[in-house]
Amino acid sequence: MLAFQATKGKLKQVTKPLPKLRPNWALIRVRLAGICNTDIEILRGYHSFRGTPGHEFVGEVTELKSTSPSQHKKWLGRRVCGDINVSCSAYGYKPPCDFCRRGLKTHCARRTVLGIVAHDGAFAEYLALPLENLHRVPDSVTDEQAVFVEPLAAACEILEQVRITGLREAAVLGDGKLAQLIARVLGTAIPRVVMYGKHKEKLALALRAGIATQKVRGDKGDLARIKERYKLLVESTGSPTGLALAQRLAEPRATIVLKSTFHGAAPVETWPIVVNELTVLGSRCGPFPKALALLRAGTVDPTPLITRTFPLSDAERAIQFAQRPGVVKVLLKSEESSL
């Protein structure tokens, strides 16, 4: 199959065998894959990953291994998306780790992560995942919508982690791909959401979705210029400076949710966290069923965020294009292929 590997800071096209299946795993033909900031950070050294990147996808199940007839009927030929964390149970480890026993599979001590940690991802014609990770895509949800399920679920996780009852407004720092989805999800539950970003075109996308916007410069001067304060802030700038700005906009006893992942360290003073008694909360993956429900109901439509779709064979050019100013979501489309 055609695939791309992260090698010395670049994507390299390779031809490799199809993934080998374990019992109760599925082979999935990738229909669409999304390029995420994490994929770009992987090329910069994030997690020292050297395999095939890509964790946002929608695909079709083409093969199953050692499954029951009912499972075979349920999954074969179906469109799916998939949780990216592969835990103990999928690998057959016994006994399972302590985190899995506590129901925290996304923090499994022996997990692999699709396209990020020791598991080849979606920048390929095919990928493999266990059935327990799969979610069927409703017929009413298009491929272009379904490819957003993984990051949309990550946005939904914030509503699982933070008590928002009575909250009237919240701030989202950043105007990129994930920030756009976060603002839309928060907008389903909070009357006023304000997005702070540097890019006029991206802020315009948020404004058209009913999200208030504020343009910032992305430098230290923002700390002095911005006067607003919030009880809830989501830092999704993808920048080491994002946390400092979040602290500046946080009122005493506010909650700051961190969503940025990047290679390297973030220079930050910790005294404002102590003095203002801030809660700083890490947030990663989220509930796929809730994301699919938002798409099925039409409550959130992510398709206006798509800037361009490239064929998979042009992935090297696509990931360079994804880093241009003003670009939001770039997709990779697999050509029709068969086993």
Side-chain angles (χ1 to χ4, degrees):
M1 68 174 183
L2 173 67
F4 286 82
Q5 292 188 170
T7 305
K8 297 181 179 179
K10 296 182 179 180
L11 281 182
K12 180 182 178 182
Q13 181 176 324
V14 297
T15 301
K16 60 196 300 184
L18 294 171
K20 292 183 179 180
L21 298 184
R22 295 169 178 267
N24 294 308
W25 282 51
L27 183 68
I28 300 159
R29 182 178 70 81
V30 179
R31 295 165 67 107
L32 280 176
I35 295 177
C36 170
N37 274 3
T38 301
D39 302 315
I40 295 167
E41 291 298 325
I42 280 172
L43 296 183
R44 296 170 181 164
Y46 182 67
H47 269 303
S48 301
F49 183 66
R50 291 295 178 268
T52 297
H55 55 278
E56 302 175 4
F57 77 93
V58 56
E60 178 184 341
V61 175
T62 61
E63 185 180 331
L64 300 161
K65 182 171 181 180
S66 303
T67 56
S68 66
S70 62
Q71 292 280 57
H72 192 273
K73 182 178 180 180
K74 177 181 178 181
W75 293 110
L76 191 64
R78 303 295 185 181
R79 282 192 310 147
V80 297
C81 50
D83 285 302
I84 66 176
N85 298 281
V86 184
S87 63
C88 283
S89 57
Y91 287 109
Y93 294 134
K94 295 181 180 179
C97 74
D98 182 59
F99 293 105
C100 285
R101 285 197 297 268
R102 289 155 53 191
L104 300 172
K105 285 191 173 185
T106 58
H107 294 280
C108 170
R110 292 175 287 202
R111 76 184 183 277
T112 61
V113 185
L114 182 73
I116 300 173
V117 180
H119 191 128
D120 282 340
F123 294 174
E125 290 181 300
Y126 293 87
L127 60 83
L129 279 176
L131 295 185
E132 66 181 52
N133 283 53
L134 300 186
H135 299 265
R136 286 179 57 174
V137 175
D139 291 341
S140 60
V141 175
T142 67
D143 283 356
E144 287 74 18
Q145 292 172 320
V147 75
F148 284 91
V149 169
E150 193 278 333
L152 188 59
C156 291
E157 178 71 0
I158 297 168
L159 298 183
E160 301 283 302
Q161 294 176 294
V162 178
R163 185 175 180 273
I164 62 167
T165 304
L167 198 64
R168 302 300 301 169
E169 62 179 4
V172 176
L173 308 187
D175 54 18
K177 298 174 276 293
L178 182 55
Q180 295 277 349
L181 295 175
I182 289 168
R184 285 159 174 76
V185 169
L186 291 183
T188 67
I190 299 172
R192 183 172 185 262
V193 177
V194 185
M195 174 179 284
Y196 289 80
K198 297 187 298 182
H199 307 97
K200 180 180 177 181
E201 302 91 344
K202 295 179 181 180
L203 292 174
L205 282 172
L207 198 61
R208 288 197 289 272
I211 300 158
T213 62
Q214 290 285 338
K215 195 171 186 301
V216 296
R217 298 178 185 174
D219 56 29
K220 291 183 178 180
D222 289 332
L223 302 179
R225 284 188 293 268
I226 302 173
K227 304 302 181 183
E228 293 83 3
R229 298 292 181 271
Y230 298 90
K231 290 183 180 179
L232 174 62
L233 305 99
V234 182
E235 192 286 303
S236 189
T237 63
S239 167
T241 62
L243 179 53
L245 180 59
Q247 291 181 39
R248 178 69 178 81
L249 272 63
E251 65 179 52
R253 293 195 171 181
T255 296
I256 299 173
V257 180
L258 301 183
K259 278 292 190 182
S260 291
T261 54
F262 47 81
H263 180 61
V268 64
E269 293 181 313
T270 58
W271 68 262
I273 298 172
V274 177
V275 172
N276 292 320
E277 298 182 317
L278 304 179
T279 297
V280 179
L281 186 64
S283 184
R284 187 166 49 100
C285 301
F288 274 50
K290 292 199 172 184
L292 285 164
L294 289 176
L295 294 175
R296 186 170 55 244
T299 308
V300 173
D301 180 16
T303 55
L305 302 179
I306 300 171
T307 302
R308 186 170 173 183
T309 300
F310 287 78
L312 173 63
S313 57
D314 214 3
E316 295 170 79
R317 191 160 66 98
I319 204 161
Q320 294 301 320
F321 180 82
Q323 298 174 64
R324 292 184 184 180
V327 172
V328 188
K329 178 60 72 174
V330 175
L331 304 180
L332 297 174
K333 184 177 179 65
S334 291
E335 293 82 1
E336 289 293 328
S337 55
S338 59
L339 292 175

